[in-house]
């Protein structure tokens, strides 16, 4: 990723806003022209006072205005003072209006560009391939979307304007200075190079300290957060004093680093104040000498003194602006990296009608790298409305089958047919709209419970929602929450147990009423009693809905139309409960172990 | 990620309107105590602020003297004098600015540090009822962004107040001294400017808050889109999410543009007011010059003052608005620091502990004067309810002898956790009492009881740091050998040694690099090391691999040996090996006895047990190892 690509991306994003942005810069330029007017008005007034109306070097056009104002009689001191006063106010007002236009335009442009960039990266995140999210660190990604974005925003909103302001200021003020007096102009620029160079060097240096302070703050926050989330453990071991000590150390470290940084900043600002004011002092003294010697007028001296204080502080600020701009370029690069990641393909066909739910796998293979296949040579068929159960040890590839069906990954060999359509030719959105999946650790949005359920089908009536939650055996639990279906999920609302989360996710999936339902170990945290109720409810939908169950309990899988036993990515057994329990193999072993347990419980009961 | 906790979502509702209620000066006075604690620094800061302000007042006067001098004395003017005078003030400002940044920063960071320290101290002693209604995020927001905001006001706000007041006063005096009429003319602009500034600053701060609020919602959205990407794909919610996000960025756009337009409007208005002051100075100055009352130098000084006068007013208005907005923060922080723990030692206990402290505690006597042992725990008709809400527990009678192991079973929400929390004195019974060797535990030291408790929770909390540090948490002065011994007995040694850095392995934030089973074993080791008189445990239900499961069962047996132990049990083995099983349903103890006795009753326990066994033994891992 190089700077040119980043710059091009930024340039693309400015489309539609370029005119507004230019308006901001132009109005700023003109605005500053007017800003430089009042000191000239002041110069006029002072020169008139010092040298008298006749002695002062008054530009002819002002003289003419003065004559007009004086109604033909010779204009007096007060006329010129009035001109200066009105000029000052008028020019400031004009400058103010233009500055307002600049502020408005730059706000519209920069916030608009950032809105576009945010929308774009969000949409990109939504459409990135699953494999990207698998390997990407969440915290890092989130940082790119939030703090890097903010850095770019500040750059667009502040630093771009700041830099153009400094450049414009120099472009506008330099000619005025040199027009007023060449020697004084050189003199007033004397300390600029030192100021600029020292600022840049200083901020380069403290950049690392800034980083250290940030990290130290993060460490302190972590201790705080760990303490608050683990407060029960702290109390359990009566470790309050220890924790206070631990936090105290981090708290002090943060303070001390901060003070180190502030000490340096104090040194810099104190030092640069010295340079800036020294420059003004130099100008005053030398200027005064030259005034005495008659090179320049008092008014010119006044104008220089005013201009100097107008340009010198922004120049001092430049060091900081330039370092911050450097950060913005890095941030832009990090955002561009995300945007450069390929999205999921989207150009496949959409049959446009509901599938019946027939699934065929023909010699399907899949792996992230060629040497370690996750699935190999998997073949099976489920008729529409049938139930398939998949068993197998952890890492056997059970979930991968579900993920291939959802087109979260694309199979690398063989063929998968949905109602006879090759899966890879169907659009992902269509495929996913035909399948509901419930995961072992389901994700719920931080919205109300009802809101989470409606994710299944947005236009569902409340009646339909309740039907789904009843099937999933969660309706009563929800009703018991203080705010029922309107309870919020998460820290500010109700805390849900694993089983409750699973059942809400199930209800959400059921609400969609899809042709194919996949339960990926989705009832692991639900007790057996509830589970059998849920399975009974699901059994009613038989023949209407193809169901794929990944599970471990015999009771869950034994009534399936077909059972697959998977091991190391291959199907090792296939059949029904009846057929599989007849033959020697993994499945029968399972039955025996679970049967033995059953026997033990029976004997427990008999013995007592 | 620390700015996540600058989370406006964790603000209270009343926050938004608080500034309408006006200022609560008492609150600020109490907080100012934190600043005034640093007497030396405050003195230097105030001195620097005053000298900067006065130097800034002095410069135009020198300029005036030079300009007038040129007109009156010409070449005879003593430029060296003025030059050195000016240079002197330059040096004063340079030194003062450096110092006030240094000392202001020092005060700010110290005040933040001190408030945070006091807040943390108090959080360590507040009862659990305090935490019940305050999510961790809410507390984090108080301890981070609120404190930063307040310490800024308490240091820089103070600085600007002194600087601004001195400067305004100095300029006013200088102007009135030079020329009363002209001075009054320029000063007449102050009320207008003050009114304008205050109004604008309020609006700007308010819209800035709206921007922050929306921004944290945007961050939340990004977080959800990343965490929930599979769910989004599975339900084909991309378009809808994008749509929702789009309206969020629209809100953000509107809020930020509004905020910046307000700022863009404010500055030109201030500038225009300033130019009006300059204009008036020119016109009235011209008249005065005609009447011979002032010189050109005075006019220059007035023009400069008219410009400078506006800075302190803007700053002060800004701080005043900020203080009004931060009022709510101040209230919350003060309440956090000053909250009294609902459960603490009674005055009698404290008295006894103090008396005992004088002549060091004899052996086998606890810090509160009672014997340092627990042979028996008795629940006498214990009941509990929260301040609001229904009765959670009632009529529990239970006696546990030394060496006994009690298993608690029952359905979720039945009151099992409450029972355990009462035993730990995280809450106190609202009815009945709990006795330790015949003494009501309210008559014992809270610290003593809790240092004799060992607690192992369902979601074992592990701190960031090394494995060694985590085990040592059980007993801080334990030797390395003792730690290894505890870890062996807990069955954690093997997995620890299998890790790259052994006991020095860093476990990551919240133990993120360990599996649930490993965390469990670690917390066993920690508890074994602590060797508590009473062990309380909430057994985890999460499934773990077979080897770990075996380790856990062995470690658990070690842990429960030779002490009073109370376990909210889920494992069959734990339940069956318990000396006594109690069944809690709907806040009442409905059955009590050992496994054989309870099975005979064929009641609730019988039903639970038969269900449970099915669930348990069909766990994937067991079955697959058996295969």
């Amino acid at each position: 990723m190089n700077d040119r690509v980043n710059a091009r991306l930024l340039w693309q994003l400015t489309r539609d806003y370029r005119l507004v942005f230019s308006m901001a810069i132009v109005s700023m330029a003109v605005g500053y022209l007017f800003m430089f007017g009042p000191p000239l008005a002041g110069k006029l007034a002072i020169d008139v006072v010092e040298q008298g109306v006749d002695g002062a070097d008054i530009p002819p056009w002002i003289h003419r205005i003065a004559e007009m104002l004086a109604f033909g009689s010779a204009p007096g001191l007060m006329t010129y003072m009035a001109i200066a006063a009105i000029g000052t106010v008028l020019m400031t007002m004009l400058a103010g209006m233009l500055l307002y236009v600049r502020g408005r335009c730059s706000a519209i442009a920069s916030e608009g560009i950032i809105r576009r960039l945010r929308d774009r990266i969000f949409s990109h995140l939504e459409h990135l391939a699953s494999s990207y999210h698998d390997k990407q660190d969440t915290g890092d990604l989130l940082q790119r979307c939030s703090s890097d974005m903010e850095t770019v925003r500040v750059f667009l909103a502040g630093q771009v304007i700041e830099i153009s302001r400094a450049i414009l200021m120099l472009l506008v003020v330099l000619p005025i200075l040199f027009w007023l007096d060449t020697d004084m102009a050189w003199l007033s620029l004397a300390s600029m190079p030192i100021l600029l160079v020292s600022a840049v060097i200083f901020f380069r240096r403290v950049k690392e300290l800034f980083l250290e302070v940030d990290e130290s703050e993060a460490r302190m926050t972590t201790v705080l957060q760990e303490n608050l989330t683990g407060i029960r453990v702290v109390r359990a071991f009566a470790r309050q004093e220890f924790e206070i000590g631990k936090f105290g150390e981090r708290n002090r470290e943060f303070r001390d680093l901060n003070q180190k940084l502030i000490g340096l900043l104090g040194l810099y600002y104190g030092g640069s104040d010295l340079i800036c004011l020294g420059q003004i002092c130099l100008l005053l003294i030398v200027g005064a000498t030259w005034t005495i010697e008659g090179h320049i007028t008092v008014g010119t001296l006044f104008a220089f003194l005013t201009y100097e204080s107008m340009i010198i502080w922004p120049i001092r600020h430049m060091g900081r602006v330039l370092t911050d701009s450097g950060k913005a370029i890095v941030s832009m690069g990090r955002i561009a990296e995300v945007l450069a990641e390929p999205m999921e393909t989207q150009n496949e066909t959409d049959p446009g009608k509901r599938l019946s739910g027939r699934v065929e796998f023909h010699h399907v293979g899949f792996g992230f790298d060629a040497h370690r296949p996750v699935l190999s040579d998997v073949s099976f068929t489920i008729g529409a409305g049938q139930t398939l159960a998949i068993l197998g040890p952890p890492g056997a590839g059970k979930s991968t089958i579900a993920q291939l069906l959802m087109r979260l990954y694309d199979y690398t060999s063989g063929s998968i047919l949905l109602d006879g359509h090759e899966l890879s030719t169907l659009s992902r959105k269509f495929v996913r709209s035909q399948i509901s999946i419930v995961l072992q650790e389901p994700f719920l949005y931080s919205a109300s419970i009802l809101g989470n359920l409606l994710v299944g089908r947005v236009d569902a009536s409340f009646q339909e929602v309740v039907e789904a939650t009843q099937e999933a055996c969660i309706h009563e639990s929800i009703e018991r929450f203080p705010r029922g279906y309107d309870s919020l999920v998460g820290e500010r609302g109700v805390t849900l147990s694993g089983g409750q989360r699973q059942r809400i996710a199930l209800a959400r999936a059921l609400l969609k009423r899809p042709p194919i339902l996949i339960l990926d170990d989705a009832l692991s945290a639900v007790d057996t009693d509830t589970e059998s109720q849920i399975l009974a409810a699901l059994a009613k939908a038989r023949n209407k809905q193809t169901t794929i169950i990944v599970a471990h309990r015999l009771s869950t899988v034994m009534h399936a139309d077909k059972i697959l036993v998977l091991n190391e990515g291959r199907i090792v057994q296939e059949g029904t409960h009846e057929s599989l329990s007849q033959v020697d193999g993994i499945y029968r072993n399972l039955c025996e172990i679970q049967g033995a347990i059953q026997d033990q419980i029976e004997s427990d009961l008999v013995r007592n | 990620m620390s700015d996540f906790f600058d989370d406006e979502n964790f603000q209270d509702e009343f926050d938004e309107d608080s500034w309408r209620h006006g200022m609560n000066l008492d609150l600020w006075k109490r907080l100012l105590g934190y600043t005034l604690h640093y007497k030396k620094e405050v003195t230097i800061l105030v001195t620097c602020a005053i000298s900067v302000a006065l130097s800034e007042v002095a410069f135009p006067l020198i300029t005036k003297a030079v300009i007038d001098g040129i007109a009156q004395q010409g070449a005879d003017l003593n430029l060296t004098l003025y030059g050195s005078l000016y240079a002197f003030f330059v040096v004063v400002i340079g030194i003062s600015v450096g110092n006030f940044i240094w000392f202001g920063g020092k005060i700010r960071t110290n005040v933040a540090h001190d408030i945070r320290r006091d807040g943390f101290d108090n959080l360590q002693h507040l009862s659990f009822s305090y935490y019940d209604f305050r999510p961790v995020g809410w507390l984090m927001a108080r301890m981070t962004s609120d404190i930063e905001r307040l310490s800024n006001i308490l240091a820089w706000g103070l600085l600007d107040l002194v600087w601004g007041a001195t400067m305004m006063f100095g300029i006013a005096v200088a102007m009135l001294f030079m020329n009363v009429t002209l001075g009054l003319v320029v000063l007449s602009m102050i009320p207008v400017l003050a009114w304008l500034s205050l109004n604008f600053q309020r609006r700007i701060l308010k819209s800035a808050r709206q921007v922050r609020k929306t921004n944290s919602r945007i961050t939340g959205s990004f977080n959800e889109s990343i965490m929930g990407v599979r769910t989004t794909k599975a339900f084909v919610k991309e378009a809808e999410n994008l749509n929702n996000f789009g309206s969020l960025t629209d809100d953000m756009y509107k809020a930020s543009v509004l905020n910046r337009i307000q700022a863009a409007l404010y500055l030109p208005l201030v500038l225009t007011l300033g130019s009006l002051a300059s204009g008036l100075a020119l016109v009235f100055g011209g008249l005065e010059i005609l009447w011979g009352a002032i010189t050109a130098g005075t006019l220059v000084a007035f023009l400069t003052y008219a410009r400078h006068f506006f800075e302190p007013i803007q700053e002060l208005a800004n701080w005043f608005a900020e203080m009004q907005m931060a009022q709510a923060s101040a209230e919350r922080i003060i309440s956090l620091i000053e909250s009294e723990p609902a459960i603490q030692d009674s005055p009698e206990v404290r008295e006894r502990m103090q008396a005992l402290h004088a002549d060091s505690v004899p052996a086998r006597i606890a810090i509160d004067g009672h014997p340092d042992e627990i042979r028996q725990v008795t629940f006498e008709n214990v009941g509990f309810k929260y301040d609001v809400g229904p009765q959670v527990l009632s009529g529990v009678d239970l006696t546990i002898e030394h060496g006994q192991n009690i298993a608690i079973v029952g359905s979720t929400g039945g009151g099992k956790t409450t029972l355990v929390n009462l035993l730990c004195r995280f809450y106190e019974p609202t009815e009945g009492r709990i006795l330790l060797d015949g003494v009501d535990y309210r008559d014992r030291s809270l610290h003593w009881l809790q240092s004799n408790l060992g607690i192992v929770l369902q979601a074992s909390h592990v701190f960031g740091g090394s494995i060694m540090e985590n085990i040592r948490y059980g007993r801080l002065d334990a030797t390395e050998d003792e730690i290894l011994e505890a870890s062996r007995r807990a069955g954690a040694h093997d997995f620890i040694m299998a890790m790259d850095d052994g006991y020095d392995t860093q476990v990551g934030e919240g133990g993120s690099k360990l599996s649930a089973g490993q965390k469990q074993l670690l917390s066993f080791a920690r508890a074994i090391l602590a060797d508590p008189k009473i062990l309380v445990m909430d057994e985890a239900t999460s499934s773990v691999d077979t080897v770990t499961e075996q380790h856990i069962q062995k470690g658990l047996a070690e842990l429960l040996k030779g002490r009073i132990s109370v376990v909210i049990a889920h494992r069959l083995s734990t339940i069956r090996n318990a000396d006594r099983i109690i069944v809690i349903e709907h806040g009442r103890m409905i059955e009590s006895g050992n496994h054989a006795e309870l099975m005979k009753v064929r009641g609730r326990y019988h039903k639970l047990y038969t269900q449970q066994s099915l669930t348990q033994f069909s766990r994937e891992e067991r079955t697959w190892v058996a295969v």
Side-chain angles (χ1 to χ4, degrees), chain A residues 13-14 17 21 108-117 156:
Chain A
L13 288 166
T14 56
Y17 291 109
F21 230 122
I108 288 172
S110 60
E111 299 297 336
I113 291 169
I114 281 299
R115 172 172 64 177
R116 178 175 286 170
L117 189 57
L156 287 175

Side-chain angles (χ1 to χ4, degrees), chain A residues 39 267 434 561:
Chain A
L267 205 62
Q434 301 296 307
D561 297 307

Side-chain angles (χ1 to χ4, degrees), chain A residues 391-393 396 554 563-568 570-573 580-581 583-594, chain B residues 623-627:
Chain A
L391 283 165
L554 214 49
I563 299 168
L564 295 182
V565 182
L566 225 59
N567 200 6
E568 292 177 357
R570 289 174 185 278
I571 296 179
V572 288
Q573 279 192 301
L580 288 177
S581 46
V583 296
D584 219 26
I586 294 182
Y587 191 81
R588 197 160 79 181
N589 280 343
L590 254 177
C591 294
E592 279 163 8
I593 295 162
Q594 299 208 357
Chain B
T623 46
W624 288 102
V625 151
V627 170

Side-chain angles (χ1 to χ4, degrees), chain B residues 186-198:
Chain B
V186 174
L187 290 180
S188 67
M189 284 292 149
I190 294 179
V192 189
L193 183 70
W195 176 82
L196 185 85
S197 296
L198 201 54

Side-chain angles (χ1 to χ4, degrees), chain A residues 404-416:
Chain A
L404 289 185
L405 262 178
M406 297 292 291
R407 287 210 71 191
L408 287 175
Y409 298 112
D410 286 324
Y411 44 101
T412 40
S413 64
S415 138
I416 300 176

Side-chain angles (χ1 to χ4, degrees), chain B residues 198-216:
Chain B
L198 201 54
N199 269 302
F200 261 93
Q201 297 292 0
R202 254 186 214 152
R203 270 168 229 269
I204 291 172
L205 278 175
K206 221 176 164 181
S207 60
R209 176 161 290 194
Q210 185 60 35
V211 169
R212 281 215 300 277
K213 209 168 174 168
T214 318
N215 196 31
S216 73

Side-chain angles (χ1 to χ4, degrees), chain A residues 56 170 213 221 239 279 310 328-329 350 364 403 408 420 451 557 577:
Chain A
L170 286 178
V213 171
T221 317
R239 285 286 171 267
Q279 163 79 56
M310 279 168 105
I329 291 167
D350 183 343
V364 171
Q403 284 163 348
L408 287 175
V557 303
H577 175 70

